[in-house]
Structures are given as C-alpha cells and as structure tokens.
Amino acid sequence: MPHLVVGPQGPWGPLRRDMTRHGVALAYGSIADWRARLPGPQDAAALRELLGRDWDRYRAAAGRPTGERFLATRSLLKYLAATAVGADPRDLELGYALTGRLYVRGCDQIDLNLSHTGDLMLVGLTSRGTIGVDVELLDRRLYGGGGEARMCTPAETRLLEATPEEHRNLRLVRQWTLKEAYTKALGQGLYFPFTEFGFQVDENPPRLRRADGSPADSDSWSFRSLRVGERHLAGLALRDGGLGRTADTRVTTALDASTLGAVHRALRATGPAGSV
C-alpha cells in the first residue's frame, strides 16, 4: 500500500518494512509540504548538495511552480532510494535513460518510477525487477469527452458500454492509470498505443489483455489499482526480473566497506561543486 511521507523526516519505517517483506515500496506526499520542509532558496549550498547533477536544472526554474515541483519530486526520489539502499540521499545521483526514465546511478539492485498530478507525487521502488506507477484524481473527467476511442481496445469499449453510466468514468480512470504504469515500466510512455493492449479491471488483481480481450502472456507481470489518500487512484505495474527478490538492497552489501568509505570521503572533499 502507498505510505504518506510528509517530508525528509519521514516516516520511513513502514517503507523499509515493505522493502524487506515484499521488495516493493510506494511513497506519496504533498509537493507543498515537502517544499516547506526542504532548505530555502537562501541555503543554495544545501540544495546544491542534495540535488547534485540536477542543481542546474532546478536553478533554471527556481521560484516557479515547475521548479519547486522538480525540487520536491527529486527529493522524494532520493530520500526513498536512500532508505532502500542505506545511504545518505546527498550521496545518490539520479540518472536519465534515453527514454527519460529515471534510475539511481550505481544502484542496479533497485528500480524506481515517479508520477505526479496537481500537488500530489507518488514514487514506486522495487528490488524485484522493473516498476511503473501512475496517479490521477479519482474524479478526473475522462468519460464523455470523445477520448475513449484513443484509450480503449475494442474489448474494453464493449465492457465500458455494458457498465452503468455512473461508473464508466471511474472504470476509465482505472484503465488509464494501469496503462500509464505499464508503458512507463516498459520505458515506452505514451509511444505505445493504448488501443493495442488493455486490462480487465473487474478482476482483482487486474489482468493484462490483448486488443481482442484474450489474456496476454503476463506471468512475469503483476498489476494493482490502489487508493492513494482520499482523492487519488494509482496504477502499479511490476515486472519480475526472474532473479529472485533481493531482500538486502543496502549499498554496503554491493560494495566493500573500505571502498564505500573512500567514495564517501571523496564526495565530501569535493563539496557541492563536485556534484555538478
């Protein structure tokens, strides 16, 4: 289940337990709450140390809503990743694949994904393979605007038409968040046409379907629709990498302790400038 994290101070205990037990953790929070608990614009050195290579990108938009959202989401990503690998968030660097997909440099034992809408941000993290998440308002208006033909397979369209009208919009929100999460986990985003695959959202858990409604071969995939707080719904897509779940994701497990210490000392010695 997604856990509310109000700022850098956590609480992080439930997320650590989820990683240990299930190899998956979902954290959400308010962009405004996080921004209020992070260093202010006057403390540029602290912000630069936290953001590392993302500092210039933040500085270009600082003071505008896009910049403050960027700061809050990257901070949540780093703090959750640091919780999973047992590191200081200032020592972690976020990287961007060619598709724009985020990852933590040097931490191949985990995968993470981000979604945000309005003031709410959601981060999913796993040690089991690849993860995708999407979050939307429960009452986001999708039905009746003519977009159904671009987001539904023929089989989904038939099921939508058979659904009582008052429940059709929520059905579309469930489908949309699952499709977004799945394509994000694949690294495709909106490049993968939503009319080519679907979900049977009446099943629990939802199952991946072909365009004609027949079950797809998804043994390595699992999907969930999850409530986030009082007003939001999330889609979760998880691909099992087939290597077993890594119960211990701490960075010290992957690195010799003396090597890790040398890296930390080098990072501290270079200071914020060494992170740019």
Side-chain angles (χ1 to χ4, degrees):
M1 64 174 288
H3 295 284
L4 174 63
V5 183
V6 298
Q9 290 73 38
W12 299 108
L15 291 149
R16 291 192 191 97
R17 288 192 292 273
D18 282 356
M19 282 298 297
T20 300
R21 295 172 183 170
H22 311 296
V24 180
L26 296 170
Y28 72 97
S30 158
I31 292 172
D33 286 350
W34 267 76
R35 186 62 192 93
R37 290 168 171 80
L38 290 166
Q42 72 281 1
D43 198 351
L47 289 176
R48 187 170 184 172
E49 187 175 20
L50 175 61
L51 289 174
R53 298 182 185 214
D54 279 328
W55 165 250
D56 286 339
R57 187 172 171 184
Y58 165 67
R59 185 173 56 177
R64 301 200 298 270
T66 53
E68 302 316 300
R69 181 177 65 233
F70 182 83
L71 174 59
T73 56
R74 268 51 185 180
S75 298
L76 176 55
L77 282 161
K78 281 198 168 187
Y79 272 90
L80 180 57
T83 296
V85 304
D88 189 312
R90 296 170 297 178
D91 292 339
L92 300 181
E93 287 286 357
L94 298 174
Y96 301 84
L98 292 177
T99 60
R101 185 174 173 80
L102 285 155
Y103 65 93
V104 183
R105 296 177 185 272
C107 293
D108 294 341
Q109 70 271 37
I110 59 170
D111 186 63
L112 76 176
N113 198 234
L114 163 73
S115 181
H116 57 80
T117 182
D119 183 56
L120 187 130
M121 51 184 176
L122 171 71
V123 173
L125 187 146
T126 186
S127 61
R128 293 171 53 183
T130 306
I131 193 169
V133 296
D134 186 62
V135 64
E136 298 287 351
L137 282 165
L138 276 164
D139 59 357
R140 178 184 174 182
R141 183 51 51 185
L142 294 178
Y143 178 72
E148 296 89 337
R150 297 191 300 273
M151 69 177 73
C152 294
T153 66
E156 286 175 323
T157 299
R158 291 192 295 271
L159 287 171
L160 181 67
E161 291 172 349
T163 300
E165 188 167 356
E166 64 270 23
H167 300 307
R168 290 178 185 175
N169 192 72
L170 180 57
R171 186 183 193 95
L172 280 176
V173 174
R174 290 186 185 279
Q175 290 176 192
W176 177 266
T177 54
L178 286 166
K179 291 188 180 196
E180 281 269 16
Y182 179 50
T183 55
K184 289 172 72 177
L186 289 171
Q188 297 295 314
L190 294 175
Y191 294 110
F192 194 168
F194 281 11
T195 55
E196 298 299 317
F197 68 99
F199 287 94
Q200 172 50 279
V201 296
D202 296 320
E203 297 176 310
N204 188 21
R207 289 188 64 188
L208 182 65
R209 301 279 179 160
R210 299 184 180 91
D212 63 4
S214 61
D217 183 12
S218 57
D219 289 344
S220 63
W221 287 90
S222 55
F223 305 95
R224 296 290 188 277
S225 284
L226 303 163
R227 288 289 295 268
V228 180
E230 297 295 324
R231 302 176 56 229
H232 292 83
L233 182 74
L236 167 67
L238 182 68
R239 183 185 66 83
D240 191 326
L243 300 176
R245 182 170 64 81
T246 303
D248 188 353
T249 56
R250 293 173 299 174
V251 69
T252 49
T253 303
L255 291 176
D256 174 77
S258 60
T259 302
L260 183 64
V263 171
H264 283 180
R265 287 191 295 274
L267 286 169
R268 298 293 188 223
T270 56
S275 298
V276 178

